[in-house]
Amino acid sequence: MSANLSTRVFDSVFEMLPNEANPSPLVRINTLHPLAAEIAAGTSTFELFAKLEWMNPFGSVKDRAASYLIRELEAKGAIWPDKADKKGRGIVEPTSGNTGISLAAMASVKGVHMRAIVPEKVPEEKKVMLRIAGADVDVLTDAMCPSPGMGEGALGMARSYAKAQGDRYVMPNQYENHANVQAHIDTTGPEIWRQTGGKITHFFTSLGTCGTVTGVATFLKAKNKNIKIIAVQPSAGHDVPGIRNKDELHVTKLFDASLIDEIIEVPFEKAYTSALGLCQREGLFAGPSSGLIFEGARMVLQRDKPAQGLGVAIFCDNVFKYISSMTKHLPALAGEP
Amino acid sequence: MSYAFPDALVSTNWVKENLKSPAVRIVEVDVDTKQYGAGHVPGAVAFNWNTQLQDQINRDIISKDDFEKLLSSAGIKPTDTIVLYGDNNNWFAAYGFWLFKYYGHADVRLMNGGRSKWLAEDDKPLTADVVAFAKSDYKITAINADLRAKVPQVLEAIATRNSNLIDVRSTDEFTGKIIAPPGMTETAQRAGHVPGAKSVPWAQTVNQDGTFKSVDDLRALYKTAGLIEGKPTIAYCRIGERSSHTWFVLKYLLGVQDCKNYDGSWTEYGNLIGAPIERS
């Protein structure tokens, strides 16, 4: 039986991975629409949608890149499970969590082992999720002395495994591998184009590996070069897991400034208040990176007040993996005074 | 113009060529020792900065006896050439270099660019295999106590202005905007800097790839900062490892003869009752 998208019956979890025929949902922003007053006054018809990437099978936008990375490794014969006469060769990857969770879940189904290298500041929930998904987890500490922006720790350690134990590990390297970008050229971009009937005028996302922004922008700009690509970044010294300030982008080779119309900076604490607002007023259980992107969209739209158009904001993952981060930044959520 | 003591700094290529030399012993010192476990330079041993190079009861460097035991257990002999390297631009490796010199080891070298440079070069092998070396009987015969500054020397430098004081922490730590970078467990009661200290953050001494800048660039850097040539010099940071990095630059690359590392650094000075502090 092949996937039946009308009844949503699938032969395996892999068939649930998103694509143009099986897109992640777009949900209209209603109560918190940044131009609600203008719409009520009849001076704007701008529509804003959230693309709910947490509806992907392993819970985040990273399912897309991870599935392409694994597919590429399989096609090259670079990974295999343990066999009677041959030890398996698995995956090692530096990750703030979501790519690792997706990679580990997919690798586990295939019997391939996965080692995730995560920075200490990644929330505990994500570390546990990585282990639940079947990964071995190395948590790197820089507690003795911080080295902001040096990009060495997790990336260097994953490279070390791949170099010193190449018979056991290969590193897909989401920061350099074009498969990360291709996933969004092939899936996210076409999904948005189809879901909006080609009416999209504004695309909002964050910066991390930059696979999403580069891939989606490549596709959308080819369709309509006037579509505005807006990247939302947290303020320097931020504490929003999984995304980067532009000063931290030296670790990725997938950033292409020529595709981005604007990078807007948001005070990082807003990621948390904005996420909470989305949870409580839109019923969208958005995590902090989604909150940050929404806040960036709000700032741009309230500044520019477009009379018409259609915006799509990537909502990377939901809030469940960030309970500790949410309570750290919004202590009232823990019932504290 | 070359460095004052060019032999103290070796390239990754030199280390590769000397991997099989029995008189060359390679020591990795990292912020996080999991790095060594993932892969290291063949034949390297790892010393843990926190648990093996520090006294575990008193706040102090490892004792003479414990240093002898540590080196003996690693099979290191006083005649060996020691090459140190590590992560984070060799911060902790530089601390290891300083400690080897403090305890009088003759031939100590730092691998330029550290762990990340070795890792980035395709022709440099990396292994997870740990070599078991036969134990040695390492004996320390002389201690170079003049390489270390303690509180009295720092207070004397403030009072007499007889020394350059170099603060290698971030600008925000120097000016007193913050006591320590966010999330740090070792901190102080007060923010600011030692009166009269010049701010030269450690990162200004290295290139993008972590290798040291040229001697001319380094000389210009400290001249601009107001370092007076010929004067004794004391470097400090927060816990003493970044200042070891700058101490290495000043003493071995620029040839500052009387150069001390104040390893107590701000986590000691910023907690002292009555010590004068400047903020700016």
Side-chain angles (χ1 to χ4, degrees), chain A residues 223-280:
Chain A
K223 288 286 187 187
N224 175 0
K225 63 179 171 40
N226 294 321
I227 294 172
K228 286 193 166 59
I229 306 295
I230 296 140
V232 185
Q233 65 162 347
S235 48
H238 70 92
D239 182 26
V240 185
I243 58 175
R244 291 176 189 275
N245 176 282
K246 66 177 167 26
D247 294 338
E248 302 169 302
L249 288 181
H250 59 280
V251 296
T252 182
K253 296 214 163 84
L254 306 180
F255 177 64
D256 182 351
S258 71
L259 292 166
I260 298 174
D261 294 279
E262 180 177 358
I263 296 178
I264 185 157
E265 181 169 309
V266 171
F268 81 83
E269 297 87 351
K270 292 267 189 188
Y272 293 96
T273 51
S274 171
L276 187 64
L278 288 161
C279 292
Q280 296 181 341

Side-chain angles (χ1 to χ4, degrees), chain A residues 139 141 144-145 160 163, chain B residues 32 34 89 115 121 238 241:
Chain A
V139 180
T141 175
M144 284 197 290
C145 217
S160 298
K163 190 168 180 178
Chain B
D32 189 324
K34 290 190 207 81
N89 281 278
R115 184 182 168 87
E121 293 172 349
R238 188 175 59 88
E241 90 303 4

Side-chain angles (χ1 to χ4, degrees), chain A:
Chain A
M1 190 168 80
S2 60
N4 183 327
L5 296 176
S6 62
T7 58
R8 297 193 58 77
V9 175
F10 301 91
D11 274 341
S12 86
V13 73
F14 292 101
E15 287 189 347
M16 291 175 66
L17 287 165
N19 55 51
E20 195 174 352
N22 180 38
S24 62
L26 282 194
V27 177
R28 185 183 296 277
I29 298 296
N30 297 299
T31 316
L32 295 177
H33 196 304
L35 299 175
E38 287 76 8
I39 291 166
T43 57
S44 177
T45 59
F46 195 91
E47 299 175 278
L48 182 61
F49 290 88
K51 189 159 176 65
L52 305 192
E53 290 295 294
W54 63 73
M55 298 299 281
N56 295 332
F58 308 108
S60 80
V61 65
K62 293 296 191 175
D63 285 7
R64 300 174 188 271
S67 64
Y68 268 58
L69 293 169
I70 285 213
R71 191 190 302 175
E72 185 184 76
L73 292 173
E74 281 185 310
K76 286 182 184 166
I79 51 172
W80 58 84
D82 280 337
K83 296 172 185 167
D85 58 338
K86 197 176 181 186
K87 265 200 142 180
R89 188 179 193 230
I91 295 166
V92 62
E93 184 73 355
T95 170
S96 61
N98 280 334
T99 305
I101 291 166
S102 297
L103 283 172
M106 287 186 248
S108 297
V109 173
K110 295 168 187 289
V112 171
H113 67 272
M114 156 83 192
R115 182 175 286 275
I117 317 291
V118 300
E120 195 171 35
K121 71 175 183 180
V122 165
E124 283 306 311
E125 297 92 320
K126 277 188 169 176
K127 293 172 193 159
V128 175
M129 271 307 303
L130 280 162
R131 295 187 187 103
I132 288 173
D136 294 323
V137 180
D138 284 326
V139 180
L140 263 190
T141 175
D142 62 358
M144 284 197 290
C145 217
S147 50
M150 288 173 64
E152 189 174 352
L155 194 57
M157 184 147 164
R159 281 204 178 108
S160 298
Y161 272 108
K163 190 168 180 178
Q165 305 176 54
D167 56 332
R168 296 279 290 138
Y169 294 103
V170 62
M171 178 176 162
N173 200 351
Q174 58 174 326
Y175 294 98
E176 295 182 10
N177 193 323
H178 188 73
N180 182 355
V181 173
Q182 194 63 43
H184 295 282
I185 295 175
D186 292 351
T187 67
T188 326
E191 286 173 36
I192 292 170
W193 188 254
R194 179 171 165 241
Q195 287 172 304
T196 64
K199 290 194 294 176
I200 180 170
T201 56
H202 294 66
F203 176 69
F204 301 95
T205 191
S206 54
L207 303 170
T209 64
C210 297
T212 305
V213 70
T214 301
V216 174
T218 299
F219 180 88
L220 292 180
K221 290 273 188 190
K223 288 286 187 187
N224 175 0
K225 63 179 171 40
N226 294 321
I227 294 172
K228 286 193 166 59
I229 306 295
I230 296 140
V232 185
Q233 65 162 347
S235 48
H238 70 92
D239 182 26
V240 185
I243 58 175
R244 291 176 189 275
N245 176 282
K246 66 177 167 26
D247 294 338
E248 302 169 302
L249 288 181
H250 59 280
V251 296
T252 182
K253 296 214 163 84
L254 306 180
F255 177 64
D256 182 351
S258 71
L259 292 166
I260 298 174
D261 294 279
E262 180 177 358
I263 296 178
I264 185 157
E265 181 169 309
V266 171
F268 81 83
E269 297 87 351
K270 292 267 189 188
Y272 293 96
T273 51
S274 171
L276 187 64
L278 288 161
C279 292
Q280 296 181 341
R281 301 192 59 202
E282 290 285 346
L284 298 175
F285 275 20
S289 57
S290 307
L292 186 96
I293 293 167
F294 182 71
E295 176 62 17
R298 189 192 65 76
M299 288 164 67
V300 168
L301 294 174
Q302 289 194 344
R303 180 194 67 197
D304 297 347
K305 299 195 188 306
Q308 66 239 342
L310 188 154
V312 171
I314 292 288
F315 278 21
C316 313
D317 61 357
N318 63 25
V319 77
F320 297 115
K321 283 172 285 187
Y322 301 96
I323 302 303
S324 59
S325 304
M326 291 293 282
T327 52
K328 177 180 166 190
H329 291 281
L330 303 170
L333 292 174
E336 291 167 18

Side-chain angles (χ1 to χ4, degrees), chain B residues 98 146-149 166 231-235 243 246-252 255-261:
Chain B
W98 171 72
D146 60 340
L147 300 182
R148 188 183 198 194
I166 305 289
K231 257 191 173 184
T233 300
I234 297 172
S243 56
T246 290
W247 169 84
F248 176 84
V249 170
L250 291 166
K251 188 161 182 70
Y252 286 91
V256 176
Q257 205 170 0
D258 182 355
C259 190
K260 292 177 170 53
N261 179 29

